[in-house]
Amino acid sequence: MSVCLPPKFTPLTNAIRALAMDAVQQANSGHPGAPMGMAEIAEVLWRRHLRHNPANPAWPDRDRFVLSNGHGSMLIYALLHLSGYDVTIDDLKKFRQLHARTPGHPEFGYTPGVETTTGPLGQGITNAVGFALAEKVLAAEFNRPGHSIVDHYTYTFLGDGCLMEGVSHEACSLAGTLGLGKLIAFWDDNGISIDGHVEGWFTDDTPKRFEAYGWHVIANVDGHDAEAIEKALLAARAETGKPSLICCKTIIGAGSPGKQGSHDCHGAPLGKDEIAAARAYIGWNHPPFEIPDDVYAAWNGKVRGAAFEENWQRRFALYQAEFPELAAEFERRVMQRQLPATWEATKAAYLQACRDKAENIATRKASQNAIAALVPAVPEIFGGSADLAGSNLTFVKGSKGVTRTEGGNYCYYGVREFGMTAIANGIALHGGLIPYTATFLVFSDYARNGIRMAALMKQRQIMVYTHDSIGLGEDGPTHQPVEHIPSMRIIPNLDVWRPADATETAIAWISGVERQDGPSLLALSRQNLPTVTQNVTDADIAKGGYVLAENADAQITLIATGSEVKLALDAQAALAGEGIAARVVSMPCTNVFDRQSDDYKAAVLGACKKRIAIEAAHPDFWRKYVGLHGAVIGIDRFGESAPAGQLFDLFGFTVGNVVATAKSLLS
């Protein structure tokens, strides 16, 4: 259990406690314990140190604040409201209600001042590592002697739950290795989780754990003593070579005389009687949702915020005068979030090069070629792989790994698939960089919730997932994805590309770079694939599905993706030899295809209702296209360890099986 003295209740911290109690009570759901227990920590950080401007939440050099223990959302909503953001008292009264700007967990894009969506524990601190990494990279790229235009901190609050989640280990370990000295985390050490006192399931020596990561650790801070918190925060800011963890002993629900220090106040309203008792206990004699003017005045951050931003604008003007090209690049990338003026020419030239070469290469190699072509032209592209750069083919000439002492455009994430993905979400949210990440497709399982969060937050991240099928071969079923592609396709707002050749791969990459409202996933082959797109346009491919080989007399349509597109073409030829007319559709991205007009989709799928989908993945997804009268050649069990060619024969990915299946449908 935590050991600390009860708070010295003040009007400033009482305002947080009262708003949290009242909003949770009115909603009849929520988590009052964390906001009430962290009120003093929040007051010290937000009123004394956080550089932000409530009138302009998007000011580029603002400090970032992440509430990793996102269930305590009323803490950040109270802080935003009191500080002067466009979060009204009516917004607080609508806490957790339909279409309110104060959802149950903080959501990026809903509430001004919320930097990232938190709630899935551990991902907030991981996003914070991404923010801090982006700051380090951009500072190294843009700052010049006497001109620090990128110079801000990332602060995060986290609780025991965040530290129990494995992703916190992945991210914090890497943060220590990279020396992210502008990352400061406050651990709310209250000893309570939903099930009760954590000593039955969480007895880690957290300070030693973080010291082992290479963090600067400040232990045993009384989280209710403002001056102790202030001293610890100043010490953390003085340490520039390491991230800092401030370990704050707190009482959950502090101010609730009957429930503080227990799990009873963690995730449920306090109740009217207890709230009345709490008001008397802390000396808050105001009705629900009423804040005195003097308290508002003491909290208001607009004047300080305007001064912070104006100071930065003056410094940026001096920078602009001395380094006009760098300043213009900074404005383009960070403030305008636009691609370079040369983008259209770059992509046109690269697509033409792909067509001219018509290489017989694996799509993972085609992806590497795309990266090599795009990185020099789009310097904001920031790569990384989960210890598989040599297999994912994500490191190219011009890639430079970030180190403790230097910036770069590539991160060696180590074996941290989940951490990598959530860190990249933070990088994307920060602005100024377009992250791509990479691992084997089968290990997307580890990253799954990070992928989902990228889609939920509509963040641009390009996920390079190689070794996409049984084509992996000898590594066997542990490394052969079967269910992964169809399961990823059903994540809302995620574009899943499975290209058939170098040109389709290039278009998948271009689509991912251009897309600003969500992530893109590229499922890429280990084995070489021939060119199949010689006679189709880039524009058709970019629609996600198109007719690759038409036949006006078609009796059947073959739909395929990735490595199976060439199989479909070969089967078309074999069927023709037996007097059966077939057409072939390539569908590299079903998600993009589904967004096309009904007329276009109908034209691509064709009038004939006999359809066969061919994909080395679980078959059930394809029923939406082939219907009950069609067939799917897929894999509905785990793979085997053997050379790829033998496996494709074993699982029926042969011309003979496609022909036999077509004949069966037509009989």
Side-chain angles (χ1 to χ4, degrees):
M1 290 186 61
S2 301
V3 178
C4 59
L5 296 172
K8 296 178 181 177
F9 300 110
T10 71
L12 297 180
T13 56
N14 282 348
I16 296 173
R17 292 186 166 96
L19 289 172
M21 291 189 297
D22 294 339
V24 171
Q25 185 66 31
Q26 180 147 309
N28 197 31
S29 70
H31 299 76
M36 297 176 73
M38 299 191 77
E40 283 75 26
I41 304 169
E43 188 270 332
V44 171
L45 175 62
W46 276 66
R47 287 189 66 249
R48 305 187 195 184
H49 293 278
L50 192 70
R51 291 168 66 251
H52 64 120
N53 185 4
N56 183 13
W59 166 45
D61 202 40
R62 69 192 181 279
D63 291 337
R64 271 61 169 183
F65 174 76
V66 176
L67 185 71
S68 190
N69 46 342
H71 53 270
S73 56
M74 266 310 303
L75 177 58
I76 191 169
Y77 298 150
L79 292 167
L80 293 169
H81 171 70
L82 293 168
S83 298
Y85 285 79
D86 184 20
V87 179
T88 68
I89 201 70
D90 286 336
D91 290 325
L92 302 189
K93 290 178 180 178
K94 296 174 183 176
F95 177 55
R96 287 181 162 240
Q97 304 310 298
L98 184 63
H99 301 316
R101 296 201 297 171
T102 49
H105 292 84
E107 292 189 38
F108 176 80
Y110 267 71
T111 317
V114 169
E115 300 281 4
T116 182
T117 300
T118 56
L121 292 176
Q123 286 198 70
I125 174 62
T126 308
N127 293 163
V129 171
F131 281 119
L133 177 56
E135 194 274 346
K136 177 188 178 87
V137 167
L138 292 170
E141 183 175 356
F142 287 103
N143 290 350
R144 294 295 183 270
H147 297 275
S148 295
I149 62 164
V150 181
D151 185 12
H152 52 266
Y153 281 84
T154 300
Y155 298 99
T156 182
F157 288 178
L158 66 155
D160 296 319
C162 290
L163 294 176
M164 285 185 250
E165 289 286 0
V167 71
S168 72
H169 164 80
E170 295 183 26
C172 293
S173 170
L174 183 62
T177 297
L178 295 178
L180 301 180
K182 289 185 178 173
L183 173 63
I184 298 176
F186 293 84
W187 170 34
D188 181 28
D189 181 14
N190 60 36
I192 297 291
S193 65
I194 291 177
D195 281 351
H197 294 283
V198 300
E199 50 225 22
W201 48 89
F202 182 58
T203 58
D204 299 13
D205 190 331
T206 296
K208 287 185 179 178
R209 168 182 164 186
F210 276 75
E211 286 173 358
Y213 293 154
W215 284 53
H216 171 222
V217 177
I218 304 169
N220 297 310
V221 176
D222 185 340
H224 300 304
D225 183 337
E227 295 314 307
I229 299 164
E230 171 80 6
K231 181 180 177 182
L233 185 46
L234 289 172
R237 288 172 60 93
E239 173 55 72
T240 59
K242 299 178 178 179
S244 292
L245 178 71
I246 302 174
C247 307
C248 297
K249 298 285 186 180
T250 65
I251 300 169
I252 191 171
S256 170
K259 296 186 177 183
Q260 61 186 6
S262 77
H263 68 283
D264 292 336
C265 64
H266 185 288
L270 298 181
K272 291 182 179 179
D273 291 343
E274 182 63 17
I275 289 176
R279 277 181 151 79
Y281 181 67
I282 68 178
W284 186 259
N285 302 310
H286 307 285
F289 298 105
E290 183 175 302
I291 307 294
D293 289 343
D294 61 333
V295 174
Y296 273 130
W299 266 106
N300 196 301
K302 288 184 176 180
V303 173
R304 290 178 70 247
F308 286 138
E309 184 173 355
E310 287 168 8
N311 177 269
W312 181 83
Q313 292 287 0
R314 285 193 297 271
R315 292 189 287 112
F316 186 76
L318 294 172
Y319 176 83
Q320 195 171 34
E322 190 166 348
F323 305 102
E325 292 183 359
L326 278 173
E329 180 72 359
F330 184 87
E331 288 182 311
R332 176 187 72 77
R333 288 167 51 177
V334 178
M335 301 164 76
Q336 300 164 354
R337 300 201 176 195
Q338 296 179 351
L339 291 172
T342 56
W343 170 246
E344 292 298 326
T346 296
K347 73 178 187 182
Y350 183 64
L351 285 170
Q352 188 59 53
C354 287
R355 292 189 177 280
D356 291 344
K357 290 181 180 178
E359 292 179 291
N360 180 3
I361 54 176
T363 50
R364 64 169 176 163
K365 178 60 180 177
S367 171
Q368 185 181 44
N369 292 344
I371 298 169
L374 297 180
V375 163
V378 189
E380 57 263 49
I381 293 176
F382 182 90
S385 175
D387 204 49
L388 288 168
S391 294
N392 301 144
L393 303 185
T394 50
F395 197 86
V396 300
K397 183 180 180 182
S399 296
K400 179 185 177 184
V402 179
T403 68
R404 175 179 289 272
T405 57
E406 295 184 326
N409 63 358
Y410 194 91
C411 183
Y412 291 98
Y413 286 104
V415 187
R416 298 181 175 97
E417 294 88 357
F418 190 2
M420 169 183 69
T421 308
I423 288 169
N425 286 340
I427 293 170
L429 286 159
H430 182 279
L433 298 169
I434 300 174
Y436 69 87
T437 54
T439 185
F440 286 178
L441 179 58
V442 76
F443 300 136
S444 63
D445 287 336
Y446 289 127
R448 177 79 179 221
N449 203 256
I451 299 169
R452 184 178 188 271
M453 293 299 289
L456 177 64
M457 294 190 287
K458 301 179 180 179
Q459 291 305 296
R460 175 168 47 187
Q461 182 185 160
I462 301 163
M463 304 166 187
V464 178
Y465 284 161
T466 68
H467 299 62
D468 68 343
S469 71
I470 55 172
L472 169 65
E474 290 87 345
D475 279 339
T478 61
H479 285 54
Q480 293 167 3
V482 173
E483 74 278 22
H484 299 73
I485 293 172
S487 70
M488 291 297 173
R489 286 179 177 136
I490 63 174
I491 295 177
N493 200 43
L494 174 66
D495 285 354
V496 178
W497 292 84
R498 188 170 184 246
D501 66 4
T503 299
E504 284 196 356
T505 305
I507 288 173
W509 256 102
I510 288 165
S511 175
V513 170
E514 290 182 336
R515 190 182 184 211
Q516 296 192 21
D517 61 353
S520 302
L521 187 155
L522 280 59
L524 306 172
S525 74
R526 180 190 189 189
Q527 71 274 24
N528 289 342
L529 304 180
T531 296
V532 296
T533 53
Q534 303 97 320
N535 300 316
V536 295
T537 68
D538 298 336
D540 281 344
I541 298 172
K543 293 176 181 176
Y546 61 95
V547 180
L548 179 61
E550 190 58 276
N551 191 320
D553 302 317
Q555 301 163 264
I556 197 162
T557 296
L558 309 178
I559 308 169
T561 76
S563 51
E564 288 70 68
V565 172
K566 180 60 166 63
L567 171 61
L569 290 170
D570 291 344
Q572 180 192 38
L575 287 165
E578 300 196 27
I580 299 171
R583 54 201 296 279
V584 176
V585 169
S586 176
M587 201 172 289
C589 186
T590 64
N591 311 96
V592 173
F593 177 75
D594 287 347
R595 295 198 292 269
Q596 305 305 313
S597 70
D598 289 343
D599 287 346
Y600 178 80
K601 288 184 287 187
V604 169
L605 292 174
C608 59
K609 300 302 182 183
K610 302 294 186 180
R611 300 169 185 165
I612 302 174
I614 312 166
E615 184 175 63
H618 198 281
D620 285 4
F621 171 86
W622 288 101
R623 289 293 171 188
K624 65 186 287 187
Y625 300 113
V626 304
L628 298 178
H629 302 289
V632 183
I633 298 174
I635 303 176
D636 60 1
R637 70 173 183 88
F638 297 116
E640 301 278 353
S641 178
Q646 295 179 23
L647 293 174
F648 281 115
D649 288 344
L650 174 68
F651 287 100
F653 293 95
T654 63
V655 170
N657 188 39
V658 177
V659 170
T661 303
K663 287 180 175 179
S664 177
L665 279 182
L666 295 170
S667 63

